[in-house]
């Protein structure tokens, strides 16, 4: 799979691919333009909520059209899906990777769900990401309390062995949304998993982590890092700054351009940290 090959190549080079949750046309275009400037591949992620808003085939077509001029690979990934049927529909529509979030389920059920989708996705050349040891915070409508952030190496290894997944998001102490303090990250677990398996390690909850934390995670073997909240914040700040500077403006495209540029800056900042140009 080209998607997994890109993750493995990034790991070999001491880099990580940035995976950014988009929510409209401006954010898609901004991500692709940032990838072009950073001279790197990029992963565009879509929440289930976003996909349902646009439509599965419609969003896939929009993404491909807006990213056509990017000379680097732009991969399409479905983030935090809890519905087997929906994930399989995205596979049919041409997603490069789908994530099955069975982290709220008992381990055996999580394995069964991921294995079922992996079997179907692999027939279509599509990768599957799984999660174990739930990532704290709020991602779209999914909320996880601070009491369940971690998991053991033994459970992770069993999950990797039995689920059939192609990339793995372990709960290592990161969180979705905005951090309220310094996160306590289990760097040792990342290192153990990277040493024990060739399956790429994914870090969720990238917004707000320091450059030093990012680079340490990458040095230990993380090859995909997710960023979502930073893009939403940049979008709103771009709009507010434009309206403050141009209170009488009445050209929608100028407003869209300002929002897109703000998102692009946020994406580019992360891509450069992750190993872009």
């Amino acid at each position: 799979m080209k998607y997994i090959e890109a993750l493995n190549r990034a790991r070999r080079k001491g880099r990580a691919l940035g995976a950014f949750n988009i929510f409209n046309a401006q954010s898609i275009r901004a991500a692709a333009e940032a990838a072009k400037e950073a001279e790197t591949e990029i992963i565009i992620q879509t929440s289930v909520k976003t996909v349902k808003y646009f439509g599965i085939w419609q969003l896939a077509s929009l993404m491909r059209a807006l990213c056509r001029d990017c000379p680097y690979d732009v991969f399409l990934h479905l983030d935090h899906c809890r519905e087997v049927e929906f994930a399989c529909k995205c596979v049919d529509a041409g997603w490069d990777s789908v994530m099955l979030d069975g982290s709220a389920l008992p381990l055996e059920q999580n394995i069964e769900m991921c294995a079922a989708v992996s079997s179907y996705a692999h027939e279509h050349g599509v990768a599957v990401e799984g999660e174990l040891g739930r990532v704290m915070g709020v991602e779209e409508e999914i909320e996880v309390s601070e009491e369940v952030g971690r998991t053991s190496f033994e459970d992770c290894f069993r999950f990797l062995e039995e689920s059939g997944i192609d990339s793995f998001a372990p709960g290592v102490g990161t969180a979705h949304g905005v951090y309220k303090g310094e996160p306590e990250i289990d760097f040792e677990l990342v290192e153990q998993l990277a040493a024990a398996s060739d399956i790429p390690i994914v870090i969720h909850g990238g917004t707000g982590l320091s450059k030093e934390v990012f680079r340490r995670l990458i040095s230990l073997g993380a090859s995909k890092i997710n960023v979502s909240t930073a893009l939403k914040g940049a979008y709103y700040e771009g709009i507010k700054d434009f309206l403050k500077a141009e209170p009488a403006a009445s050209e929608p495209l100028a407003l869209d351009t300002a929002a897109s540029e703000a998102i692009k800056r946020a994406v580019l900042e992360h891509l450069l940290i992750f190993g872009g140009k």
Side-chain angles (χ1 to χ4, degrees):
M1 302 173 192
K2 194 173 184 181
Y3 174 83
I4 297 300
E5 289 174 359
L7 291 179
N8 287 330
R9 184 168 55 251
R11 178 179 174 181
R12 289 194 301 270
K13 293 182 177 181
R15 302 173 51 245
L17 292 191
F20 301 89
N21 284 67
I22 58 83
F23 40 85
N24 58 15
Q26 296 100 303
S27 55
I28 296 173
R29 181 182 286 113
E33 290 178 351
K36 183 176 181 180
E37 189 166 329
E39 299 182 4
T40 183
E41 304 104 324
I42 192 172
I43 300 168
I44 284 181
Q45 298 192 149
T46 58
S47 69
V48 171
K49 181 178 180 180
T50 300
V51 179
K52 288 183 176 180
Y53 177 83
F54 282 95
I56 293 174
W57 289 91
Q58 293 89 334
L59 184 54
S61 297
L62 177 64
M63 177 268 185
R64 300 299 181 196
L66 291 176
C67 298
R68 179 174 294 179
D69 292 336
C70 182
Y72 302 92
D73 287 323
V74 180
F75 298 104
L76 182 58
H77 173 78
L78 177 67
D79 200 26
H80 287 286
C81 181
R82 293 180 166 183
E83 306 166 34
V84 169
E85 183 180 359
F86 191 85
C88 290
K89 287 181 178 179
C90 288
V91 169
D92 293 337
W95 257 250
D96 297 293
S97 174
V98 295
M99 178 197 175
L100 269 295
D101 185 352
S103 59
L105 301 173
L107 177 59
E108 290 76 12
Q109 292 181 31
N110 193 353
I111 289 173
E112 290 175 5
M113 182 175 71
C114 288
V117 175
S118 293
S119 178
Y120 184 81
H122 293 167
E123 292 177 358
H124 297 76
V126 175
V128 175
E129 179 182 320
E131 178 176 301
L132 190 67
R134 307 172 69 189
V135 178
M136 300 176 290
V138 180
E139 177 74 7
E140 298 296 341
E141 70 279 4
I142 300 174
E143 182 173 356
V144 179
S145 76
E146 294 185 1
E147 295 160 356
V148 290
R150 310 295 179 89
T151 189
S152 69
F153 171 78
E154 290 74 21
D155 283 349
C156 287
F157 192 75
R158 180 185 171 193
F159 188 67
L160 290 172
E161 289 285 293
E162 300 179 19
S163 63
I165 60 172
D166 307 285
S167 61
F168 178 45
V172 295
T174 55
H176 295 127
V178 178
Y179 289 101
K180 298 178 181 178
E182 190 71 22
E184 296 182 9
I185 297 176
D186 192 344
F187 294 104
E188 183 180 0
L189 180 58
V190 176
E191 186 175 23
Q192 287 178 316
L193 291 170
S197 173
D198 292 331
I199 294 177
I201 302 300
V202 179
I203 302 298
H204 285 235
T207 295
L209 294 181
S210 69
K211 181 187 300 185
E212 292 73 24
V213 168
F214 280 134
R215 290 183 172 166
R216 184 175 178 187
L217 287 167
I218 293 169
S219 72
L220 294 175
S223 55
K224 173 178 180 268
I225 299 179
N226 292 8
V227 180
S228 175
T229 303
L231 272 67
K232 296 172 185 175
Y235 176 73
Y236 279 102
E237 288 302 316
I239 290 174
K240 288 190 290 185
D241 289 346
F242 176 82
L243 293 176
K244 183 177 180 179
E246 302 286 346
S250 59
E251 173 51 66
L253 291 180
L255 180 63
D256 286 350
T257 298
S260 184
E261 286 296 318
I263 297 170
K264 177 185 173 182
R265 288 192 295 272
V267 174
L268 183 59
E269 177 184 356
H270 286 87
L271 289 177
L272 296 178
I273 294 172
F274 300 161
K277 177 182 176 182

